[in-house]
Amino acid sequence: MSQPPGQHLDFRELVERGEPRQIAKRVRLDRGFYLMCMAITMIAVIALLVLLGSILINGIPGLSWSFVTNFTSRDPGKAGILAPLAGSIWISAICAVVALPVGVATALYLEEFAARNRFTNLLRLNISNLAGVPSIVYGILGLTLFVRMFGLAGTTQDPALEIGGETYAMYYDVTGEPLRVPVENRSVTPTLETGTIAYMQRVLDGPDGELIFTDHWEPIPLTIVEDSANAPLANGVIPAVDAGLPVDYEVEKPWYYVQFPFGQTVLAGGLTLMLVVLPIVIISSQEAIRSVPGSLRSGSFAMGATRLQTVSRVTLPASIPMIMTGAILAMSRAIGEAAPILVLGVALFITDVPQTLMDPFTVLPMQIYNWSARFQPEFRALAASGIIVLLFVLLAFNAIAITIRQRFSRPLQ
Amino acid sequence: MSEAAPTDMNEVRGRGRPKSRVLQASWDVFARTALLGCACFSILITALIIGILAYETSRFLAEVSVVDFLTGLEWNPLLGEEKHFGIWPLIAGTLLVTLVAAIFALPIGLVTAIFLSEYAPARLRSVLKPVLEVLAGIPTVVYGFFAVIVITPSLQWLGKLVSGEAVFGPYSAASAGIAVGIMILPIVTSLSEDAIRAVPKGLRDGAYALGSTRFDASAKVVVPAALSGIMASYLLAITRAVGETMIVALAAGGLAQLTILPWEQVQTMTAYMVQIFLGDAPATGVEFKSSFAVAGILFLMTFLLTFTGYRILARFREEYE
């Protein structure tokens, strides 16, 4: 900006020169406003410093490697953040895989193909509006659309359609060992008789005398006894009173297992967050595509390229770095979102890393919310440690975004 | 390309390049249609949101009368003998938190934007911009934690210092409002700064030529010229404040009451939804359905705010482009 003349005048000088007092007053006002601006602007800096400071002071003592590798626990001393961390990474990956192609395609259509008509205006207005919809509302959409599928296909506990999974009914025998009986689906109650083949988990003796549960399930014929008080204490013996309804159902899921409706699974969570970030991806991609100089397009057309050729070989490659930067920033928004995931009704107490798209999950912000909402200072300290992990993940994302921007952005002129 | 450039059209054809203009043109049409399909997905999302909210709200209104819902001044679906579904306490709670946030963030945001674009030396700018970007990138649940662990105790201390009594409880609208204010501050600042920067340089030069100080130029020329953009930034920031969930769920409290006292606890629309979806109500009950109706009202409010904001923004873009 050019130096405005007012800045070089000192008001004392003006007064000495006998300039009208009004000018001196105005210059003094300008100085005063400048100082006030400085002070007010510092509020943002102070807010950030206090925010980060309070988190570091509360969170650093609880940070350790075991905090990152442990599952959550009711004992704050043992609680860790592994499941939410893994869940967050799963969710943002799914979110990126779906939101990026759809978002970039929409942006390409709007910037390169769309005619100037009322429909295009409607599209633009709609996207602006979607960007302003509170994320909790997207949670409601995700709950109805993905988790429950409008209630048209069974319930989340008893899905109408399952592909690839093997369902087992769970029982406990008199020794307390879990037994599995294969069934068609989760609404079937098997009839147990003496001689029915069930499966029992093979347990090995560890080197220090502890038990190691293997993934191997061995067949064992059941014995149903009427008199549970005098039942022989042996594997495979089930009192008749316990042989009715199974304790639980378990589904052995290969990686390609899918159920409809999705239920509170990784896939449903990722798709819900995709809804939240899609408008952001579209808007940032539009800006990226718009920043490609028109001369590049004109050059391409002048050499006889069609619109598709121009888009796929000139515009898109030129705007990819900016698109990727925007996409990563959108993903970091997705990683920080708790509200839409909360609406899906995910379980808070997860003690497993999600292995397939159809596994239950939780995410970092949910776990942080859960810990922050408690009054005990131990849990609030855990929340602060969790926030440090979350901010670290975000920092990593932003570092990637900056690297991409610097690595691939070439001057286009 | 590493290989030698083709010299002969036959050679080009032999390599499998597109054979005719017709084929290329049909690919164009295909790509255009596919991209249009993706673009229509966003319209489908809006349609689904409106459809689901309307359907569930109608099921809720089959059990609770519209008049009670829209005019009632009492909201206690979970406690007490008689359930009341009057939306106003929730709206009032939302507006109170938003008001506190707006009082905090809108003036500070505008002044920061003026400072950044008109006054700040380049070095200070290079510090302030990243600070605002970091603030904008912090997840809202972190602000909620900040409210619980720093803002609420500070307000409690301050309240005791001023009045001698414990006016602030563990939850208050003010605590949540200040945290929401810090959250929307970067939005106000960056959008207002865009608007201020879009004011043509000629207007400033004119003001300086007439003997203006920077303050005169900013306050009497630049800000009035950018006013529509600043208003739009305010509206968009307020939209975010209205829809903010995690901060109010942590810091504002869980008691829906009609109050304008910022040290009281309030329940916002979003906080009520959190309470329901975290499992305080059976999934088939009227309480559960009520959360969809609340979401419907919330969607309407944010829709109107965003729509107005973008209308203003579109008009202001036309002025200078």
Side-chain angles (χ1 to χ4, degrees):
Chain A
M1 197 192 299
S2 63
Q3 289 297 317
Q7 202 195 17
H8 299 296
L9 292 178
D10 185 39
F11 75 95
R12 275 188 228 95
E13 205 180 309
L14 284 171
V15 175
E16 279 159 24
R17 282 210 314 238
E19 291 279 340
R21 287 197 68 79
Q22 222 210 337
I23 293 185
K25 207 170 123 192
R26 287 198 298 139
V27 173
R28 203 185 299 137
L29 187 63
D30 184 48
R31 282 281 161 83
F33 184 70
Y34 176 77
L35 293 176
M36 190 192 86
C37 276
M38 279 283 251
I40 286 181
T41 307
M42 284 306 131
I43 290 177
V45 181
I46 294 166
L48 182 64
L49 290 179
V50 176
L51 177 81
L52 294 180
S54 67
I55 288 161
L56 291 178
I57 289 169
N58 285 289
I60 287 277
L63 269 189
S64 64
W65 188 242
S66 66
F67 178 72
V68 182
T69 55
N70 276 9
F71 290 109
T72 187
S73 162
R74 287 189 171 84
D75 173 7
K78 289 182 192 156
I81 204 156
L82 180 58
L85 181 62
S88 277
I89 292 169
W90 259 106
I91 295 295
S92 58
I94 295 169
C95 180
V97 165
V98 185
L100 198 51
V102 179
V104 173
T106 306
L108 276 179
Y109 177 77
L110 283 174
E111 292 302 314
E112 301 284 332
F113 286 89
R116 280 179 175 268
N117 56 25
R118 293 184 71 172
F119 177 70
T120 310
N121 282 341
L122 178 72
L123 264 179
R124 285 181 207 277
L125 185 68
N126 179 50
I127 289 162
S128 316
N129 176 50
L130 280 181
V133 172
S135 58
I136 195 166
V137 174
Y138 285 110
I140 287 184
L141 178 57
L143 175 72
T144 317
L145 185 61
F146 302 126
V147 174
R148 296 190 181 157
M149 296 194 167
F150 304 102
L152 296 175
T155 62
T156 56
Q157 292 311 313
D158 181 24
L161 179 62
E162 289 179 89
I163 299 166
E166 282 173 54
T167 313
Y168 297 94
M170 295 282 294
Y171 295 90
Y172 287 100
D173 67 11
V174 285
T175 62
E177 282 292 313
L179 295 169
R180 304 208 300 200
V181 179
V183 287
E184 267 299 296
N185 59 53
R186 278 175 251 182
S187 54
V188 174
T189 308
T191 43
L192 298 190
E193 293 162 356
T194 301
T196 308
I197 298 295
Y199 292 86
M200 198 180 86
Q201 199 169 18
R202 177 192 273 178
V203 184
L204 300 175
D205 290 325
D208 301 323
E210 84 275 28
L211 299 176
I212 299 173
F213 291 88
T214 65
D215 282 345
H216 188 72
W217 292 75
E218 290 175 341
I220 180 171
L222 293 180
T223 314
I224 308 296
V225 291
E226 290 296 333
D227 181 12
S228 55
N230 297 323
L233 210 64
N235 283 336
V237 178
I238 297 181
V241 282
D242 296 340
L245 281 174
V247 183
D248 199 4
Y249 288 95
E250 254 188 19
V251 184
E252 194 93 326
K253 297 166 182 173
W255 64 269
Y256 54 84
Y257 169 77
V258 184
Q259 68 169 47
F260 294 95
F262 293 150
Q264 283 93 352
T265 53
V266 173
L267 183 60
L271 291 177
T272 305
L273 279 189
M274 176 274 289
L275 300 175
V276 178
V277 299
L278 187 64
I280 308 173
V281 174
I282 294 174
I283 290 170
S284 69
S285 303
Q286 273 183 288
E287 277 166 14
I289 294 163
R290 223 177 286 149
S291 75
V292 175
S295 55
L296 283 181
R297 285 187 197 89
S298 310
S300 171
F301 287 133
M303 296 205 300
T306 63
R307 190 161 282 276
L308 176 63
Q309 286 170 332
T310 306
V311 166
S312 64
R313 295 179 204 178
V314 178
T315 322
L316 197 55
S319 54
I320 279 280
M322 253 185 96
I323 289 178
M324 289 307 293
T325 314
I328 289 169
L329 293 180
M331 289 313 119
S332 43
R333 168 90 191 271
I335 274 205
E337 281 289 354
I341 300 295
L342 185 148
V343 173
L344 300 186
V346 298
L348 282 168
F349 208 80
I350 303 264
T351 53
D352 237 334
V353 169
Q355 306 284 334
T356 73
L357 286 177
M358 288 291 134
D359 278 338
F361 75 102
T362 185
V363 290
L364 283 172
M366 271 293 285
Q367 185 67 69
I368 292 166
Y369 167 73
N370 185 250
W371 280 332
S372 307
R374 301 183 190 203
F375 277 105
Q376 299 98 311
E378 298 86 11
F379 282 108
R380 292 198 168 162
L382 281 177
S385 306
I387 288 172
I388 295 177
V389 174
L390 175 62
L391 292 182
F392 195 78
V393 173
L394 288 175
L395 198 69
F397 266 63
N398 282 278
I400 296 171
I402 291 167
T403 315
I404 290 178
R405 187 159 57 192
Q406 293 190 336
R407 196 89 179 255
F408 296 98
S409 59
R410 296 160 292 159
L412 289 169
Q413 270 77 19
Chain B
M1 239 178 277
S2 58
E3 39 194 311
T7 47
D8 183 17
M9 278 315 281
N10 286 324
E11 205 185 316
V12 172
R13 290 207 183 90
R15 282 201 206 157
R17 293 282 165 95
K19 296 205 168 44
S20 69
R21 299 298 281 176
V22 180
L23 191 64
Q24 285 175 2
S26 56
W27 267 112
D28 248 33
V29 172
F30 172 75
R32 189 197 173 87
T33 317
L35 294 180
L36 177 63
C38 284
C40 286
F41 183 62
S42 68
I43 291 196
L44 180 70
I45 294 176
T46 309
L48 279 172
I49 291 177
I50 294 174
I52 288 168
L53 292 180
Y55 173 72
E56 297 286 349
T57 306
S58 73
R59 288 199 335 159
F60 168 72
L61 292 178
E63 295 179 42
V64 174
S65 86
V66 192
V67 181
D68 286 351
F69 179 59
L70 289 180
T71 61
L73 300 179
E74 206 176 329
W75 181 271
N76 57 346
L78 298 170
L79 304 165
E81 297 278 295
E82 206 180 337
K83 290 175 177 175
H84 292 280
F85 289 97
I87 185 79
W88 281 102
L90 292 185
I91 293 184
T94 304
L95 292 182
L96 181 60
V97 171
T98 307
L99 183 72
V100 174
I103 289 174
F104 179 85
L106 302 190
I108 297 181
L110 177 59
V111 168
T112 308
I114 294 173
F115 183 69
L116 278 174
S117 110
E118 304 294 310
Y119 281 86
R123 262 181 59 193
L124 196 56
R125 229 184 102 80
S126 67
V127 176
L128 282 173
K129 285 295 268 185
V131 164
L132 289 167
E133 275 166 28
V134 171
L135 275 180
I138 287 178
T140 58
V141 70
V142 179
Y143 285 110
F145 176 79
F146 180 61
V148 168
I149 208 137
V150 175
I151 300 177
T152 301
S154 310
L155 287 175
Q156 284 172 333
W157 175 79
L158 207 66
K160 199 149 194 172
L161 195 74
V162 172
S163 72
E165 290 165 53
V167 275
F168 283 92
Y171 301 110
S172 64
S175 173
I178 292 172
V180 174
I182 300 175
M183 183 203 84
I184 62 172
L185 182 60
I187 304 171
V188 181
T189 309
S190 82
L191 290 177
S192 296
E193 200 200 338
D194 287 347
I196 291 172
R197 282 183 175 267
V199 174
K201 197 165 163 296
L203 284 182
R204 285 186 190 84
D205 290 345
Y208 289 135
L210 290 172
S212 295
T213 60
R214 278 198 197 194
F215 176 74
D216 294 329
S218 308
K220 294 172 193 161
V221 177
V222 177
V223 169
L227 200 61
S228 49
I230 293 168
M231 285 300 137
S233 83
Y234 280 6
L235 283 179
L236 298 180
I238 287 173
T239 314
R240 281 294 295 275
V242 166
E244 174 43 43
T245 307
M246 300 321 287
I247 299 175
V248 289
L250 278 168
L255 186 65
Q257 54 178 348
L258 214 65
T259 177
I260 52 157
L261 305 175
W263 48 83
E264 296 276 347
Q265 65 163 313
V266 294
Q267 188 167 43
T268 67
M269 296 194 271
T270 49
Y272 173 70
M273 286 155 73
V274 167
Q275 191 185 5
I276 291 300
F277 286 111
L278 272 183
D280 276 12
T284 47
V286 63
E287 305 89 351
F288 194 79
K289 287 176 201 152
S290 74
S291 62
F292 286 86
V294 172
I297 301 281
L298 180 67
F299 178 77
L300 267 182
M301 281 172 71
T302 54
F303 173 77
L304 285 176
L305 282 166
T306 342
F307 184 74
T308 320
Y310 277 98
R311 280 299 288 273
I312 296 175
L313 213 56
R315 184 177 293 175
F316 123 87
R317 278 207 184 114
E318 276 163 23
E319 268 173 42
Y320 295 118
E321 266 175 19

